[in-house]
Every structure is written in structure tokens, then in C-alpha cells.
């Protein structure tokens, strides 16, 4: 109930605000979002997943298309350059860039300091016992580690 009432209030205000926007501005916003998504994809691929360049690509893609659309509109008769249309297009790209930033997995770029383990690798601990056949006890039900051909930790058999 605590979240239901604020959600209903937001939807009531949103339904009334829709009437305040021109259809042209909504189309510019959607177009900016689509071209911002394409720009973000290209920038992400080109920068190997850098989040800053992905956001810049989203904004730049929408801005580029917005400027091109307004340049075409200003060349037509009975039409002119509209900064509000350009702003709606760029806001579509910014919205896509922020959405990608919020919903993408963030990679932890911090590297662990030092070794991940406290033990050091000693190759002598992993030598195969070549004389394992001498240590097989036929009366024992389970073979020992020496019988399997490995040395117990700390044991080194040299020929």
C-alpha cells in the first residue's frame, strides 16, 4: 500500500502531461533514443566496452541525427530549424545512455593486491614417485598416496 498510492499519483500526472507534449517532440525523442542506441553500440564495440565512451556514443549518435534532421527541415519550404526538436532528440540519446549505464553490469576494475593465496608453488611437491611399486602393501584395503605414484607432502624421493 505504501508504494501503490505514489505509483497511482505518478501515473495520473503522467497521463495529464502527455497532452502537454507535441506529437513531433515525442517522435524526435524516440528517434533520438533509437539512434542513440545505435551510437552506443558502435562506441561500445569500438572502445572494447568502455562505459564512458558508450555514453558519449549514445549522446553523439542522437545529436548527429538531430542536427541532420533539423538541417533538412531548415532547407524545406514552410519549415525552419527548431531547437526544441533538437533538444528532444538529444534527450532521447541521453536517456538511452543513462539507461545503458544503469542496467549494464559494472566490471570491478580493481585488481587484488598481492597474491590470492598465501602458499608458494614448489615444483618438488608435485613429483611422481617412480618407485611406487615398492610401497604397495598388498594387505591394506586402500592404497596410500605413495602407492598411487605421488609423494606425500614433504617427502622427496630421488633416484
Amino acid at each position: 500500500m505504501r508504494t501503490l498510492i505514489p505509483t497511482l499519483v505518478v501515473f495520473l500526472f503522467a497521463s495529464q502531461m502527455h497532452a502537454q507534449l507535441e506529437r513531433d517532440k515525442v517522435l524526435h525523442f524516440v528517434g533520438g533514443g533509437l539512434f542513440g542506441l545505435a551510437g552506443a553500440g558502435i562506441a561500445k564495440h569500438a572502445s572494447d566496452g568502455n562505459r564512458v565512451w558508450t555514453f558519449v556514443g549514445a549522446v553523439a549518435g542522437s545529436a548527429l541525427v538531430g542536427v541532420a534532421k533539423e538541417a533538412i527541415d531548415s532547407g524545406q519550404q514552410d519549415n525552419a530549424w527548431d531547437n526544441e526538436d533538437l533538444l528532444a532528440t538529444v534527450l532521447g540519446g541521453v536517456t538511452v545512455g543513462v539507461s545503458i549505464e544503469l542496467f549494464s553490469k559494472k566490471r570491478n576494475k580493481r585488481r587484488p593486491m598481492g597474491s590470492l593465496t598465501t602458499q608458494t608453488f614448489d615444483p618438488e611437491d608435485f613429483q611422481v614417485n617412480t618407485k611406487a611399486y615398492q610401497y604397495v602393501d598388498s594387505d591394506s584395503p586402500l592404497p596410500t598416496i605413495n602407492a598411487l605414484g605421488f609423494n606425500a607432502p614433504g617427502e622427496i624421493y630421488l633416484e
Side-chain angles (χ1 to χ4, degrees):
M1 190 68 167
R2 198 184 290 177
T3 59
L4 180 65
I5 293 173
T7 304
L8 289 175
V9 170
V10 167
F11 280 129
L12 286 174
F13 284 131
S15 67
Q16 294 301 318
M17 288 190 323
H18 184 323
Q20 304 299 322
L21 297 175
E22 298 175 26
R23 186 172 188 275
D24 184 48
K25 305 296 187 261
V26 173
L27 291 176
H28 276 273
F29 182 81
V30 171
L34 292 174
F35 282 99
L37 186 61
I42 292 168
K44 184 174 185 175
H45 182 71
S47 68
D48 294 328
N50 189 334
R51 293 169 32 206
V52 173
W53 284 110
T54 302
F55 181 78
V56 169
V59 175
S62 64
L64 184 69
V65 168
V67 167
K69 172 73 168 85
E70 292 308 312
I72 291 171
D73 284 349
S74 66
Q76 294 175 347
Q77 195 174 31
D78 297 333
N79 210 346
W81 183 281
D82 189 5
N83 285 333
E84 292 176 358
D85 286 348
L86 179 61
L87 179 66
T89 307
V90 172
L91 282 178
V94 169
T95 304
V96 166
V98 169
S99 299
I100 289 172
E101 178 67 25
L102 289 177
F103 293 112
S104 66
K105 269 189 164 177
K106 293 177 175 55
R107 290 184 290 176
N108 190 1
K109 293 186 178 183
R110 289 182 10 180
R111 303 229 184 247
M113 299 183 74
S115 176
L116 295 176
T117 63
T118 57
Q119 299 175 348
T120 58
F121 176 74
D122 188 10
E124 293 181 353
D125 290 341
F126 297 98
Q127 290 182 355
V128 176
N129 186 357
T130 56
K131 297 183 180 181
Y133 63 88
Q134 295 177 357
Y135 300 107
V136 176
D137 184 12
S138 61
D139 295 336
S140 67
L142 296 175
T144 62
I145 193 166
N146 288 337
L148 296 175
F150 295 101
N151 296 331
E155 291 182 302
I156 300 173
Y157 293 103
L158 299 175
E159 291 184 19

